[in-house]
Amino acid sequence: MARWIADWHPDDKTFWEGSGKRIARRNLVFSILAEHLGFTVWTLLSIVAAKMGAYDFSTDQLFWLVALPNLVGSVLRVPYTFGPARFGGATFTTVSALLLVIPTVLLGLAVSDPGTPYWMFLVIAALAGVGGGNFASSMANITYFYPRSRQGVALGLNAAGGNIGVSSVQLVMPLVIGGFGLAAAGWFWVPLVVVAAVCAWFFMDNLAVAKAKPREQLAVAGRAQTWIMSFLYIGTFGSFIGYSTAFPLLAKSLFPGSPWAAVAFVGPLIGSLIRPVGGWLADKKGGAPVTLLNFAAMGVGVVLVWLGSTSGNFWMFFLSFQVLFLTAGIGNGSTYRMIPAIFQAKAVAERGTGEEALMYGKRQASAAIGIISAVGALGGFLINRAFGMSFAQTGSPATAFVGFGAFYVACFTLTWWCYTRKVGVSLVGSLADARV
C-alpha cells in the first residue's frame, strides 16, 4: 500500500547516500512503467487509424483520430500536474493508470463492429488522451525525489521510459493486429495497465514535502520563463509526439506499398533512447547551448524530410525522418533540464540557498513542468492537423513542412535571445549559475 514519507532531503548528501537514493530509484522504476503504458494508450490510434481500411474515412478524418488524443492529453496535463501534490505521487499514479482501461476496452468493442460510426471513434480518441496526462504527473512527482545535481538524468530517464511507449505501440500493434484482428489493439493493453496500477500502489511512495496548494503552484503561470519554455517545448516534445503519431499514416499515404508498418517504431525508439543523452549533455554543457544547436539541426531535418517525401523513394524518406526523431529526442532532454535549472536558480536568487528555498524552487519547477508539458504536447495536435489540412487542400504534406521549418527558425531565435546571449541571461537572473 502506498505510504507517506514525512522527511525527505535529497540535497543532503548523507541522507541521499543512506536511504534516499534507493527509495528514489524504486519510485523512478515504477513511475516509468506506468508512464510507459500511458504513452502506449495515448498514441494507440496512430497505428489503429492506419489499419482502418474497412471504414470509409478520408485521410483528413483519419488524421483527426490521430490528432485528438494529443489535444486532450495536452489539456489534461495541467490538472494532472497538481495531482501528486494534492493526493500523493503513488496514489495519483495508481488512479491515472486505471483510467487507461476505459479507452482500451471501448476501442476493443468499437472495432469489433464494422458499423461503428465515426463520432464514436472520435470519443474513443478523446478518451485515449488520458494517457497523455500521465507524463505531467509523473515528471512533476519525480522532480521531488532527486537532488538538483541528478535531475537532468533522472527526468531524462523517466521521460524516455514513457516516450518509448510510442515505439512499443508501433512495434507490437502491427503484429498483434495481424495475428488477432483490430479489436486486439484495445484488449492487449488491459492486463498490463492493471499490473502497472498495482505496482504503483504497492511499491511507490507519497512525499509529504511535495504537498502544495494549487494556487501556489499556479503562480508560475505569471512568470515569463514558463511561457518561453512552453514555446520551445512545442518545438521539441511537440515535434516528437507529432511526428511519432503522424508517421504511420503519412508514410502509408505517400508510399502505399511500402513496409511502413515494419519500421514505424524505429523513429520513436531513437527519439526516446536519445532523450537522456540530451539531459546529460545539458548537465555537462548547459541546456541553452545544446538546445540552440539542436533547433538548427531540426531545421535541416525538415528540409531533408521534405526532399525525401518528393523523391519517390520510401527509404530516403524514412532515413531523413530519423534525423527529426534524433534531434527531437535530444531537444526533449535539453529543454527539460532547463526547467528545474531556471526555477531553482530564481528561487535561490529570491530566497537564498537554504533547504526551504530549494524546496520552493522544486515546487515551482514541478508546477512549471505541468504547464510547459501541456503546451508542448499541443505540438502533437498541431502537426497532425497541419498534415491533414495540407493533404485536404493540396494533396501533399509540402505546406506543412514549410510551416514546421519556419517554426524551428523561431525557436532557434528565441533560445538565442533569451538564454545564450549575455544580455538575455542577465535579464532572468542567476541562470548562468544554474547551467541553463
Side-chain angles (χ1 to χ4, degrees):
M1 181 180 293
R3 66 190 182 111
W4 285 91
I5 297 178
D7 295 316
W8 189 253
H9 312 283
D11 289 289
D12 183 324
K13 292 184 178 180
T14 301
F15 173 85
W16 178 252
E17 293 297 332
S19 61
K21 181 164 60 175
R22 174 178 53 82
I23 295 172
R25 186 181 296 126
R26 171 164 47 80
N27 278 268
L28 177 61
V29 167
F30 292 106
S31 173
I32 288 174
L33 174 62
E35 188 191 348
H36 178 92
L37 291 170
F39 267 84
T40 62
V41 173
W42 189 29
T43 57
L44 185 56
L45 271 295
S46 68
I47 288 295
V48 173
K51 295 286 187 177
M52 295 179 69
Y55 297 88
D56 188 24
F57 300 151
S58 69
T59 300
D60 191 32
Q61 285 179 308
L62 292 174
F63 268 115
W64 262 113
L65 295 180
V66 178
L68 195 55
N70 291 322
L71 177 62
V72 174
S74 66
V75 173
L76 286 178
R77 285 185 171 194
V78 175
Y80 267 54
T81 300
F82 306 138
R86 176 66 178 84
F87 303 103
T91 303
F92 194 80
T93 300
T94 302
V95 174
S96 61
L98 288 174
L99 288 175
L100 301 174
V101 172
I102 298 173
T104 53
V105 169
L106 288 177
L107 179 62
L109 294 173
V111 297
S112 298
D113 180 5
T116 301
Y118 179 68
W119 67 262
M120 186 62 194
F121 285 109
L122 287 175
V123 171
I124 294 170
L127 291 172
V130 299
N134 288 12
F135 177 85
S137 59
S138 179
M139 295 294 276
N141 183 46
I142 292 301
T143 297
Y144 290 103
F145 279 94
Y146 281 83
R148 287 191 297 171
S149 62
R150 299 173 182 263
Q151 284 185 347
V153 174
L155 291 175
L157 288 171
N158 191 55
N163 291 174
I164 290 175
V166 185
S167 183
S168 297
V169 163
Q170 297 181 348
L171 172 63
V172 174
M173 282 299 95
L175 301 175
V176 171
I177 293 170
F180 302 99
L182 197 56
W187 299 116
F188 178 85
W189 300 105
V190 174
L192 297 177
V193 166
V194 173
V195 168
V198 171
C199 288
W201 182 249
F202 284 102
F203 301 118
M204 291 184 69
D205 304 293
N206 298 318
L207 294 181
V209 295
K211 293 183 72 67
K213 298 178 180 179
R215 179 177 297 179
E216 177 186 346
Q217 291 183 293
L218 281 172
V220 297
R223 293 185 179 269
Q225 301 308 311
T226 300
W227 301 106
I228 294 171
M229 290 305 303
S230 294
F231 188 86
L232 299 182
Y233 202 55
I234 291 176
T236 56
F237 180 76
S239 294
F240 169 79
I241 197 66
Y243 295 140
S244 295
T245 52
F247 179 82
L249 190 54
L250 181 63
K252 181 182 179 181
S253 301
L254 292 174
F255 304 95
S258 66
W260 63 267
V263 296
F265 76 95
V266 175
L269 181 61
I270 290 174
S272 301
L273 293 179
I274 203 68
R275 180 166 184 159
V277 177
W280 176 79
L281 286 172
D283 282 341
K284 297 296 183 180
K285 304 296 183 181
V290 174
T291 300
L292 183 72
L293 293 176
N294 197 70
F295 277 127
M298 292 185 78
V300 173
V302 167
V303 174
L304 292 176
V305 173
W306 186 1
L307 294 174
S309 69
T310 60
S311 68
N313 186 321
F314 170 74
W315 293 111
M316 180 178 175
F317 171 75
F318 170 77
L319 291 174
S320 60
F321 227 115
Q322 306 318 299
V323 175
L324 283 179
F325 282 118
L326 179 71
T327 52
I330 292 174
N332 281 340
S334 63
T335 52
Y336 234 75
R337 176 62 183 94
M338 292 170 68
I339 300 170
I342 289 170
F343 287 94
Q344 289 176 12
K346 292 182 76 66
V348 169
E350 294 170 0
R351 301 192 176 200
T353 59
E355 185 172 349
E356 188 278 332
L358 294 176
M359 190 54 61
Y360 172 77
K362 286 188 177 183
R363 286 195 292 268
Q364 291 276 290
S366 175
I369 280 173
I371 295 174
I372 292 167
S373 67
V375 177
L378 281 173
F381 172 76
L382 295 173
I383 283 176
N384 280 283
R385 287 311 308 138
F387 281 134
M389 290 186 292
S390 185
F391 270 102
Q393 295 173 7
T394 68
S396 82
T399 304
F401 286 131
V402 172
F404 302 156
F407 184 76
Y408 296 140
V409 170
C411 289
F412 177 92
T413 304
L414 187 62
T415 303
W416 171 78
W417 183 267
C418 295
Y419 299 117
T420 61
R421 68 188 185 110
K422 292 182 179 180
V423 175
V425 172
S426 67
L427 287 176
V428 294
S430 301
L431 296 186
D433 294 334
R435 294 192 63 81
V436 170

